[in-house]
Amino acid sequence: MSIKLAIAPIAWTNDDLPELGKENTFEQCISEMALAGFTGTEIGNKYPKDPEVLKSYLAPRGLSVASAWFSALLTTKPYEETKEAFIKHRDFLHAMGAKVIVVSEQGHSIQGQMDTPVFKEKPIFSEEDWKLLTTGLEKLGEVAAEKDMKIVYHHHMGTGVQTTAEIDRLMKETDPNKVSLLFDTGHLVFSGENPIEVYRAHKDRIFHIHFKDIREAKMAEVKENESSFLTGVKEGVFTVPGDGMIDFAPIWEEIEKDHYSGWIVVEAEQDPAKANPFIYAQNARNYIRDITKL
């Protein structure tokens, strides 16, 4: 596969904050993705749910589906409930030609709570939670393998797997043949982690990458004001590569040295009324071209 570049629709319309980008249509979103020079997309709520209909929109624009987010509730719901929803999600992505499934555990998560401080109230998994999570993920990995697909776990702000130590534990306690990792630069830096260290530690498990940047001043405000994750998003803590505090050149060196093969997805949820998504997509594409030659 080598490396392909995608961009997430969350810059145009935000599924967690529907008021952000409610005026932007699905057709505008995918057209501007293609115009900006990307060949892949992740999936948003405005996308058609029928694979053939979605293909009819994406194919003329030269776009493929890289993956899509799946919310697991392995720590708070019976496994069978998550499995049932996962199979529907898997089958849709398989029909779209995707090879990986983005999975994030949302049991105990505060990422969707508007008034809960993302740092002060970060959930900490109990030993029972960890057992439910690791065994459940391995089962989901087996279900994904039925379609020759992988699950890639998304460490995420406001969840029980956010920090380097939590990522390390998840990787240590799961079978590498069943559970892989999504590497997200923005969530690591926001959490206070070193993305290069995380990449080096788990490069053999990384099969999907999100390039997301951080506005340092906005991140400081989130901490100082004890803001929620979604408040941080609305205030602009995230931005595209090249517009924030992260130097992607050394990160790219690690990725290139490792001969990574798969998608790199630009993802930067922010208010499209403040940050024109097409302009930011173009800027991100130009920056990535400059540092990677892709």
Side-chain angles (χ1 to χ4, degrees), residues 97-216:
K99 294 297 184 182
V100 299
I101 306 166
V102 175
V103 176
S104 181
E105 174 58 26
Q106 291 301 294
H108 309 294
S109 171
I110 61 167
Q111 73 180 65
Q113 299 176 14
M114 198 67 209
D115 300 318
T116 305
V118 67
F119 285 100
K120 187 177 180 181
E121 301 294 333
K122 181 203 171 306
I124 303 296
F125 285 155
S126 67
E127 290 301 312
E128 181 183 2
D129 289 333
W130 276 106
K131 186 64 175 176
L132 289 168
L133 177 62
T134 55
T135 57
L137 287 175
E138 289 184 339
K139 291 177 184 177
L140 293 181
E142 293 171 355
V143 174
E146 294 172 359
K147 298 286 189 179
D148 196 28
M149 301 175 76
K150 294 179 180 290
I151 63 169
V152 286
Y153 191 87
H154 193 338
H155 56 89
H156 201 285
M157 292 294 296
T159 74
V161 184
Q162 170 185 308
T163 67
T164 300
E166 289 161 346
I167 295 168
D168 290 347
R169 178 168 181 176
L170 182 67
M171 293 295 97
K172 181 180 179 181
E173 296 184 9
T174 52
D175 185 338
N177 294 313
K178 298 177 182 178
V179 180
S180 300
L181 184 65
L182 183 155
F183 172 76
D184 188 302
T185 56
H187 283 276
L188 289 171
V189 171
F190 197 175
S191 178
E193 321 303 318
N194 183 324
I196 291 178
E197 288 182 3
V198 173
Y199 190 90
R200 287 173 177 167
H202 303 296
K203 59 185 180 181
D204 294 337
R205 305 278 291 272
I206 294 170
F207 286 90
H208 203 58
I209 292 175
H210 282 177
F211 269 10
K212 187 197 305 254
D213 212 338
I214 295 286
R215 292 186 176 95
E216 191 169 14

